[in-house]
Amino acid sequence: MSRPYVIDQMISAKSIAARIEALAREIHAAFDGTDKLVVVGLLRGSFVFIADLVRELDLPVEVDFIEASSYGDGMVSSREVRILKDLRGTIEGRDVLIVEDIIDTGHTLSQVTDYLRSRHPARLKTIALLDKPARREVDFKADWIGFEIPDAFVVGYGIDFAQRNRNLPFIGQVRFTDKPVNAA
Ligand code: PRP
C-alpha cells in the first residue's frame, strides 16, 4: 500500500481561472489575425488546462492532442521522451500553441517542441500552467507560464500522483504523513 499523504492547497481554482483569463488575452494578441490556431494539448496532464484555456480564447481554434511520456507511474524523470500518440491533424504552415501542465526538467516540452517544429508550422508557441525552474535539466523556456512554483510535489488540475488526484479543481501540494488519512 502506498504511503499515506494529505494534499495542501497551493493555488486555488479562482487564482487559476484569473491567470488563464490574463494568459488568454496575451495569446489572443500574439495570434491575432490567425487563420486557425491549432491548440495542441500534451496528454494526459494538460487536459483540464487546455479545456479551460480554449474556452477563454476568442480565436478560430482547432484542438488536437499528442501524448508523450517521461515519468511512467514513478516520480523520477527519464531523459527519453516517447511519443505514445501523435497528432491527428497536419500543422505544416499553421499556427500552433502547445499546451502543457507543468515543466519540470524540461525534457518533455523541449523534445515535443523540436518534434513538432520539424513539421514546419508557421508559428509555434508554448504555454505551461506551472514551471519549476529549480528542476530544469535542459535550457528551455516556454512563451507563457501560469505560475512559477518551488520544487514541490504537486497534484490536481490535471496533474497526477500515480494516476490519482487529476480531478482536483486546484493545484495542491502532496505532504506525506505517518498518520492514516483518507487521501482523495
Ligand atoms: C509530466 C507532465 C509533463 C512532464 C514534465 O508528464 O505532465 O508532461 O511530466 O516533466 P519534464 O519537464 O521533467 O519532462 P507525465 O509523463 O507524467 O505524463 P502525464 O501528462 O500523462 O501525467
Side-chain angles (χ1 to χ4, degrees):
M1 215 176 85
S2 62
R3 216 174 133 199
Y5 62 97
V6 292
I7 296 169
D8 301 318
Q9 182 168 289
M10 181 189 260
I11 307 171
S12 70
K14 211 171 154 186
S15 303
I16 296 169
R19 185 70 188 118
I20 289 176
E21 265 186 54
L23 289 166
R25 281 195 294 274
E26 291 181 27
I27 292 165
H28 189 287
F31 286 107
D32 201 14
T34 188
D35 179 39
K36 189 156 62 170
L37 179 64
V38 186
V39 184
V40 174
L42 247 117
L43 294 171
R44 285 176 265 184
S46 73
F47 78 104
V48 179
F49 182 35
I50 191 173
D52 283 345
L53 183 65
V54 291
R55 284 180 290 176
E56 289 298 326
L57 285 179
D58 185 18
L59 289 170
V61 154
E62 177 177 330
V63 176
D64 207 339
F65 291 96
I66 190 166
E67 183 168 9
S69 182
S70 59
Y71 280 70
D73 280 351
M75 289 166 59
V76 180
S77 173
S78 68
R79 281 147 206 277
E80 189 70 22
V81 174
R82 287 180 300 144
I83 301 295
L84 304 178
K85 179 215 164 295
D86 212 329
L87 299 180
R88 288 277 296 275
T90 170
I91 57 166
E92 187 173 348
R94 314 275 303 273
D95 288 332
V96 176
L97 176 66
I98 308 177
V99 179
E100 174 66 297
D101 53 341
I102 185 166
I103 308 178
D104 193 347
T105 64
H107 289 290
T108 305
L109 198 48
S110 100
Q111 290 184 40
V112 170
T113 301
D114 288 347
Y115 179 64
L116 294 185
R117 190 168 279 133
S118 71
R119 293 184 191 171
H120 309 293
R123 284 182 287 186
L124 179 67
K125 293 197 179 289
T126 52
I127 182 169
L129 182 69
L130 303 178
D131 189 12
K132 275 191 205 173
R135 295 261 308 158
R136 199 71 93 251
E137 291 177 8
V138 290
D139 186 19
F140 184 86
K141 233 173 140 7
D143 294 289
W144 292 283
I145 290 294
F147 302 90
E148 196 173 292
I149 59 167
D151 183 13
F153 183 7
V154 290
V155 291
Y157 200 74
I159 300 171
D160 72 305
F161 173 24
Q163 302 308 329
R164 292 178 68 167
N165 310 121
R166 290 193 198 269
N167 56 325
L168 291 174
F170 56 86
I171 297 290
Q173 177 170 358
V174 170
R175 180 162 49 87
F176 291 100
T177 168
D178 290 331
K179 292 189 196 130
V181 287
N182 290 323

